[in-house]
Amino acid sequence: MGHPAGLIALLHLGRIHDETPALRSFLAERGIASELVPLPSLSDGATTDCGSIHWGRFDRVSVRDCRDSHRHPDFLPRIRALAEHLEALGVPLVNPLPVIVAGHAKSDYLPQLEQEGVALIPSRWLPRGWQGSLVGLLEVCGWGEAVLKPAIGAKSWHTYRVCRQGLGLVITAADGTTPVDAGDGDGWLARLAKDGEVCVQRFLPAICRAGEFSAVFLGGHFSHAVAKSVAAGGWIAHEGFGGRNRLWQASAAERRWAAAVEERLRRRFGVLPYARIDGIRDAGGELLLLECELVIPRLFLSEGEAFGRYAEVLLGPTSTRMAW
């Protein structure tokens, strides 16, 4: 294969992570070449246009910059087709295909983590095409407020806060607008579920005060943690909506919590090249698992001064085992 110090293909769908240019500079300074490569499209319904790219010159291929994959319904078929082509050439994916596929099935592995003892934010998963009463759903769950979002998304895409008021609902988008008429909650949710699974989670008011806690693991080892705050008057921890991200010196208890989640992920997926584990505190201050980002996460490499550790992941062993 190509470059003597390693040539890495960074797949993308048009947008890359904000931290990727700095990562590429870090790699280049150490003699490691990287290229931004568009994810091949499907042609004839079965094959990819892999032939236009000489994939054999790459030492490995990374999918972490395939942002907005949730906007591409054919993302997984395209990855599967490319993975088959790469396997024939002996070029590994940094994150093996079984992990990529399983990492997109949050409605499968997150409930399983809960069954294994991980404290998950109370959640319900609505299948594609779900129709029903949103008020009735909240009543069954016993929640006065909830957050609704697609099972797979990014940057709070289609993320809404739902609050019961009397017999009705108030639905607020991440930007503070109210995009839904009070009497159309059921139709709105049906339209949202038409395109894919929807996750409904109990709203935890502590996020407005304490924000989110994110622990980043690289190569199966704790790397760093980030605290994500919420803007004044807001309810979502994202810099796109006024929040802030800052390096956080995780306490021993926080590291134990994150390590316990990572250990259970390891049982399922083997040693992961990278993972971001996000939590929100309940009213008693205990961390509850919000989600795990295993495929296309922002890893806060700049905040954690972790470019070197991530480079070791990119160039290190790529094998993993799936326990199921």
Side-chain angles (χ1 to χ4, degrees):
M1 288 177 281
H3 196 280
L7 177 57
I8 303 169
L10 306 177
L11 295 178
H12 68 89
L13 291 165
R15 289 199 316 131
I16 60 175
H17 286 292
D18 294 342
E19 61 196 3
T20 296
L23 170 65
R24 296 188 69 205
S25 296
F26 179 93
L27 294 173
E29 289 170 0
R30 287 150 182 82
I32 304 167
S34 64
E35 289 186 17
L36 296 172
V37 182
L39 177 65
S41 61
L42 291 173
S43 59
D44 301 325
T47 60
T48 70
D49 57 6
C50 294
S52 64
I53 300 172
H54 300 296
W55 295 97
R57 65 194 180 90
F58 294 109
D59 293 274
R60 59 197 57 207
V61 176
S62 169
V63 304
R64 194 175 71 86
D65 278 285
C66 287
R67 299 180 67 186
D68 297 332
S69 65
H70 55 284
R71 297 177 182 268
H72 296 263
D74 62 349
F75 172 71
L76 287 179
R78 289 161 71 180
I79 286 290
R80 287 190 179 99
L82 177 59
E84 181 178 351
H85 184 75
L86 293 176
E87 184 177 13
L89 296 173
V91 178
L93 286 164
V94 173
N95 212 340
L97 180 62
V99 175
I100 297 172
V101 174
H104 275 74
K106 294 183 180 181
S107 62
D108 181 21
Y109 76 82
L110 285 177
Q112 290 192 43
L113 290 178
E114 185 177 31
Q115 292 173 11
E116 294 175 5
V118 173
L120 185 70
I121 294 175
S123 305
R124 291 286 296 271
W125 302 87
L126 309 182
R128 180 191 294 268
W130 188 90
Q131 297 185 46
S133 167
L134 181 51
V135 170
L137 176 63
L138 295 182
E139 287 180 347
V140 168
C141 294
W143 306 338
E145 289 187 272
V147 173
L148 275 74
K149 57 186 179 182
I152 300 295
K155 290 190 68 176
S156 304
W157 180 68
H158 285 324
T159 298
Y160 302 91
R161 180 178 175 181
V162 179
C163 179
R164 293 178 61 185
Q165 286 193 354
L167 299 178
L169 297 169
V170 174
I171 300 173
T172 307
D175 62 2
T177 60
T178 53
V180 182
D181 292 335
D184 190 37
D186 296 347
W188 163 79
L189 180 53
R191 291 190 293 273
L192 193 63
K194 181 179 179 181
D195 295 326
E197 285 185 314
V198 174
C199 177
V200 186
Q201 293 183 314
R202 190 181 75 191
F203 178 73
L204 299 180
I207 191 174
C208 300
R209 170 181 49 82
E212 285 184 25
F213 170 80
S214 292
V216 175
F217 285 78
L218 298 176
H221 301 285
F222 176 83
S223 173
H224 56 281
V226 169
K228 298 186 282 187
S229 66
V230 174
W235 59 274
I236 197 160
H238 196 287
E239 69 271 22
F241 302 99
R244 293 181 57 202
N245 306 315
R246 57 191 175 93
L247 184 66
W248 181 257
Q249 297 302 318
S251 67
E254 289 168 334
R255 291 184 64 155
R256 284 195 300 271
W257 174 83
V261 177
E262 191 277 338
E263 192 274 334
R264 285 168 174 80
L265 289 172
R266 187 181 303 209
R267 292 181 192 173
R268 295 287 182 185
F269 302 117
V271 176
L272 294 165
Y274 51 78
R276 198 187 78 218
I277 297 170
D278 298 336
I280 299 176
R281 298 187 184 277
D282 63 13
E286 296 297 318
L287 279 167
L288 301 181
L289 182 63
L290 171 63
E291 60 187 351
C292 302
E293 296 291 353
L294 310 179
V295 183
I296 311 173
R298 178 180 178 183
L299 293 174
F300 302 102
L301 299 175
S302 295
E303 290 86 344
E305 298 182 349
F307 288 115
R309 295 189 291 278
Y310 185 65
E312 292 177 3
V313 166
L314 286 178
L315 297 174
T318 58
S319 62
T320 190
R321 59 171 179 78
M322 293 288 289
W324 49 283

